[in-house]
Amino acid sequence: MSMNKNIHFFSSKEFTKDSEVMAKIGIRGQQAMEFAALNLPILPGFIIDSEVASHLVDENLDAALKPYVKKLESITGKVLGDQDNPLLVKIVVSPNLAIVHYPTLHNYGLTSRTFPGFERNVGAAFGYHEILFLVSGNLEIEARIAELEGRTAEHTKIKKRIDEVRKLLDREVKNPDFQKALDEYKGYFQPGFFEDSASQLHIALKRISHMLSLDELNDNDTALLVQPMVYGNYGKNSASGSFYTRNAVTGDVKLDGQFFQEKFNELGAEGKDINQIGRQFLADLEKIGRKVEDYYKEIRSIRFTIEKGKVWLIDQRPVATKSTQADIRTLLDLNRRKIVSDKEVVLAIKPVQLNEILHPIVNLSSVKGLKRIDGGITGASGAAIGRLCFTTDGLLEAHKQAALKGEDTRFILCMPATFAEDVKAIEVATGVLSSEGGYSAHASVVARQYGKVSLVKTEMKFKGNKATIGNVTLTEGDYVTLNVPFYGAPQIYLGKADLIEPDPKESGLLDFIAIVKKFVSGFHVRVNADKPRDAALALKFGAEGIGLTRTEHMFFDEKRINVFREMIISNTPEDRKKALRQLKVMQKKDFYDLFKIMHGKEVTIRLLDAPLHEFLPHNAAEMKAFLAYLRKQKGKERITAAEVQAGCDAHVEFNPMLGHRGVRIAVSYPEIYEMQVQAIFEAVYQLKKEKIDVRPEVMIPIVMNESELKLVVYGKKIEGYAVKGLVEVEKDIRSSLKARSVPYKIGTMIELPVAALAAGEIARYAEFFSFGTNDLTQTTIGLSRDDFNSFMPDYTRFDIIEGNPFQILDKHVKELIATAVRRGVLTRPQLVKGLCGEHGAMPDNIRFCMDVGLDYVSCSPYSVPLATLAVAQINIERSPSA
């Protein structure tokens, strides 16, 4: 039968884009045909498509292939079988599946007749090497056929010869004898294989075809590609090499690769920077790189050969190892030149990829020789180096001393678990290494908020100032490097590595976010921020306000903590108010800074939530410092340690998470929330004078019913006792300052199932809901976020629970949110609704939030870009014409 319709030629001037043909020529064939369409100096070739590639055994290949071989000869200036300047070709097996692999098959046309001419151009050693390469590839085909036909002994014999050939290929052979090689291996191939170039090509194609006909992985979907060989050592003015179309790590617009002058696949050859190649060649390669990159709209890898002064492009491929920064900078460049649209830029990057560009990464070349411990749970991704400290106080003191002495101030907090009082150490540390909890543990949540690294190693055991992981002992003061990628297994390196630090501007992230924001409207992303630095950073990252300020974190500052402790153990409201007056000055400054940074955007201040006992001394050193502070206060000079301890013990709880916290503190000690609201509105009205657009939102946490909220918001009078509501506190501040009112909202955090179910009643007194999904998950499914990782592997093994409920919202938690939204809106149609916490950074959760009718999500500063990108991509998906 005629094969003309099944053979497809390609060159820089001849190609096809026919979809039916493209479907029959496999992945490598498609790449070659696409390359040909760019009108570049590619190596020509022809493809025998999948309809016939497995059925060539009985075909007259001489007649079928001769016209196409003639075309190859005309373009390359070489002739198949010529004694002086022989054309050699390679055969590429081109399956439709990338997972199927076949041997490399080069140098067809190299026979006893053509070898002397080839040798004169490349040298005896290289010529001999190429004979062995030809033999090796074809022995692989014969071995595969023997295996598929069940000829086990023959298969074993051939594999042994393949190993022998490979050993010869891996070293330089003295006094190579090509004829001896031909004689030694010709018995493994059909007669005439080493005698005539055309016959050799036909024999090889038929044997490969026979192999494909036997191979179960081939479902008549594999093609064969034939292409000339060119050599970078083929006489003078020759070279070979490869390059990326731009730097694959930084994204700099500069070719990134190597070339080998007058060398080709030589053992031990040292390459030179591609940018040092001859000026004319470099100019040509730069134009080629730009054209290829513009066509594929991404960085590509290109292999080339210069043979006797002529540039030939071998192939081009995607770059699997390119960085997110390189991806983004490429897209921005293409966008500026109108090659890709804003929409294409936004859709090209997955949200999780941004983790790579937001945090330091380990320079892998710097960890050679360092001992490594693999595994663990990623709490907050990135990389960190520092000396280990096993207590908060120890870390803070070590950091202080290192700063005074001009020493390395990098430290890693290492402890079983962290609590509110450890926030100050996490803020100073470069990272946290803990053993309890997981992604939603306190250490992980706070680390993400402050842009630190967090790794949880559940098998780590602590004893004194040492920790053990398996048979490795970590001692206080040891340097470690934490490498916690978002994808892949974390590692601990024992010692100091080098880090590559992120630069949001240089990396292109800020320009990328500006494009992303074009597709974000209505539903938006806010930030969880307690510090001015975090708020300012989040603004750069695209945040549309603050969704959560945890005021309890503000009291752990060393200048405030003992004042706050004094307030807690005070026996009378008067004593408490005295301490609170000192704190109010500090709180006003906190709120002033946050409001000013977020000019024109909502700022949600959550009033004190943490249980009071978390603020009290937890060790002898803290107790000693607190006692010394108290004795400096008027009227407390003679207070005893026992009295202070008794005051602290009075606040100890068995289950503090569900104990005296949040709104319950306000019911018992209304003066605390009164002070915070005074500070909020004193800051608000000061900023109003300064012409700053302030949009305050006051959030009451852990509410379980409308009566609690009503009491705190509007106050109550009972038999000689009055509680001032927050509305009245604001009025008093406004009146005392003779100021005109500023619009504000009072709302609540829905973090208990009972609050979700009572949302209709609660919405009578709440102008907004913020769903605190960490606590809502814990109280709905009865799992502690700090403890569940110890037994979760058992649950996942038996498919009892799907995924991590502290990362992906549980379906029953979703049901409670949907119920609360529906009931809340029925009561208050203009109710503002958001979700607060790291659930809000996950694309699947964001999609649910948008579907259920929320208005925003709020997450840590370093999660804001991920969430914003997810929102934009969902919007584009739902409005393709946007």
Side-chain angles (χ1 to χ4, degrees), residues 400-687:
K400 179 180 177 181
Q401 291 301 318
L404 288 172
K405 297 176 183 178
E407 297 174 349
D408 191 348
T409 56
R410 295 175 299 175
F411 293 92
I412 288 174
L413 184 63
C414 184
M415 54 201 312
T418 64
F419 301 93
E421 66 268 18
D422 301 310
V423 170
K424 54 186 179 288
I426 297 174
E427 186 178 4
V428 169
T430 57
V432 188
L433 178 61
S434 57
S435 62
E436 296 176 11
Y439 182 81
S440 296
H442 180 271
S444 302
V445 171
V446 176
R448 289 195 294 274
Q449 179 185 351
Y450 288 110
K452 309 294 182 173
V453 178
S454 171
L455 175 61
V456 181
K457 290 286 289 183
T458 55
E459 67 271 35
M460 184 164 58
K461 308 297 181 187
F462 289 85
K463 187 174 183 180
N465 64 346
K466 294 182 185 295
T468 57
I469 304 173
N471 59 359
V472 177
T473 299
L474 304 175
T475 304
E476 191 157 50
D478 287 351
Y479 269 103
V480 298
T481 299
L482 303 182
N483 185 32
V484 189
F486 195 84
Y487 282 126
Q491 294 120 5
I492 302 172
Y493 292 98
L494 306 185
K496 291 190 285 186
D498 294 332
L499 299 185
I500 301 172
E501 296 289 341
D503 184 331
K505 184 173 179 59
E506 179 68 22
S507 68
L509 177 62
L510 300 185
D511 292 333
F512 176 72
I513 290 170
I515 294 175
V516 170
K517 292 277 287 185
K518 295 178 182 180
F519 300 92
V520 177
S521 61
F523 189 93
H524 58 280
V525 179
R526 298 189 191 179
V527 65
N528 301 341
D530 319 324
K531 303 275 186 181
R533 179 195 62 201
D534 295 333
L537 180 65
L539 268 185
K540 289 183 179 180
F541 286 166
E544 288 294 336
I546 294 177
L548 173 64
T549 292
R550 300 176 177 93
T551 55
E552 57 271 12
H553 287 181
M554 297 170 170
F555 295 120
F556 283 101
D557 183 276
E558 62 181 355
K559 295 178 181 178
R560 307 179 186 190
I561 185 62
N562 284 324
V563 181
F564 197 73
R565 287 167 176 165
E566 181 185 12
M567 184 276 298
I568 293 172
I569 66 170
S570 295
N571 294 319
T572 66
E574 290 72 25
D575 284 344
R576 277 193 293 276
K577 288 179 180 179
K578 181 181 176 182
L580 287 169
R581 280 194 291 273
Q582 294 183 63
L583 291 169
K584 186 179 78 168
V585 177
M586 304 172 190
Q587 283 265 274
K588 176 184 174 182
K589 177 68 166 58
D590 294 332
F591 301 142
Y592 176 93
D593 290 341
L594 292 175
F595 286 137
K596 190 167 187 177
I597 289 168
M598 286 291 167
H599 172 66
K601 300 182 187 297
E602 286 76 14
V603 175
T604 305
I605 307 291
R606 184 178 73 184
L607 303 183
L608 183 68
D609 183 26
L612 294 179
H613 85 279
E614 286 194 6
F615 299 92
L616 297 174
H618 285 76
N619 54 53
E622 289 185 0
M623 180 61 79
K624 182 178 179 182
F626 181 37
L627 186 60
Y629 165 81
L630 288 174
R631 286 173 174 168
K632 293 178 183 177
Q633 308 309 307
K634 187 176 180 180
K636 297 182 180 177
E637 295 85 353
R638 297 181 180 277
I639 193 168
T640 66
E643 289 173 314
V644 175
Q645 188 63 57
C648 294
D649 290 345
H651 294 279
V652 172
E653 297 181 276
F654 290 106
N655 189 0
M657 195 198 93
L658 298 177
H660 202 194
R661 57 175 282 210
V663 69
R664 300 159 193 175
I665 291 174
V667 172
S668 300
Y669 308 115
E671 54 271 17
I672 296 177
Y673 276 17
E674 182 177 342
M675 176 277 289
Q676 289 191 293
V677 173
Q678 287 172 346
I680 289 171
F681 285 101
E682 285 181 11
V684 165
Y685 288 113
Q686 181 178 335
L687 285 163

Side-chain angles (χ1 to χ4, degrees), residues 693-712:
D693 181 4
V694 188
R695 303 181 184 184
E697 297 182 344
V698 181
M699 181 158 68
I700 316 300
I702 209 78
V703 164
M704 65 180 176
N705 63 40
E706 77 277 15
S707 298
E708 284 178 316
L709 192 58
K710 181 181 178 183
L711 172 67
V712 172

Side-chain angles (χ1 to χ4, degrees), residues 63 73 82 234 239 345 413 466 493 741:
E73 292 173 339
D82 186 77
Y234 206 75
V345 171
L413 184 63
K466 294 182 185 295
Y493 292 98
S741 64

Side-chain angles (χ1 to χ4, degrees), residues 59 133 137 196 223 255 272 284 439 454 546 586 639 718 736 752 840 851-852:
E59 292 292 334
F133 205 89
D196 178 77
L255 299 188
K272 297 179 181 178
D284 289 343
Y439 182 81
S454 171
I546 294 177
M586 304 172 190
I639 193 168
I718 51 169
S736 68
L752 298 172
D851 289 341
V852 83

Side-chain angles (χ1 to χ4, degrees), residues 233-372:
N233 58 350
Y234 206 75
K236 292 183 178 180
N237 208 14
S238 297
S240 62
S242 65
F243 62 89
Y244 298 140
T245 52
R246 68 174 65 209
N247 190 291
V249 175
T250 66
D252 290 342
V253 187
K254 184 179 179 181
L255 299 188
D256 180 16
Q258 288 186 318
F259 76 100
F260 300 84
Q261 188 72 47
E262 296 180 11
K263 290 181 172 62
F264 185 79
N265 287 351
E266 291 189 25
L267 293 172
E270 290 190 12
K272 297 179 181 178
D273 184 339
I274 190 69
N275 295 286
Q276 295 176 10
I277 203 167
R279 184 176 299 175
Q280 183 55 50
F281 292 135
L282 179 61
D284 289 343
L285 294 177
E286 286 175 337
K287 289 177 185 176
I288 289 166
R290 178 55 62 97
K291 193 166 187 177
V292 170
E293 192 174 270
D294 287 357
Y295 178 82
Y296 289 100
K297 302 177 183 179
E298 65 175 8
I299 301 174
R300 303 295 278 197
S301 172
I302 298 174
R303 288 195 305 143
F304 70 95
T305 295
I306 301 171
E307 187 178 270
K308 293 185 177 180
K310 182 171 177 57
V311 175
W312 293 102
L313 303 184
I314 309 301
D315 59 27
Q316 59 75 33
R317 297 178 184 180
V319 180
T321 56
K322 63 184 184 293
S323 71
T324 299
Q325 173 171 317
D327 256 344
I328 287 177
R329 291 187 65 187
T330 302
L331 289 164
L332 292 172
D333 180 30
L334 294 169
N335 181 258
R336 279 190 291 270
R337 294 186 288 114
K338 310 297 182 185
I339 291 169
V340 298
S341 66
D342 290 347
K343 186 187 299 184
E344 287 175 294
V345 171
V346 173
L347 293 177
I349 301 294
K350 296 178 181 177
V352 293
Q353 284 181 257
L354 296 182
N355 278 291
E356 179 189 316
I357 208 171
L358 287 162
H359 303 286
I361 59 174
V362 170
N363 184 341
L364 294 179
S365 65
S366 70
V367 297
K368 294 174 182 176
L370 295 183
K371 189 171 182 179
R372 188 180 81 194

Side-chain angles (χ1 to χ4, degrees), residues 377-394:
I377 300 169
T378 296
S381 58
I385 299 169
R387 286 176 279 173
L388 293 173
C389 287
F390 289 81
T391 65
T392 283
D393 288 342

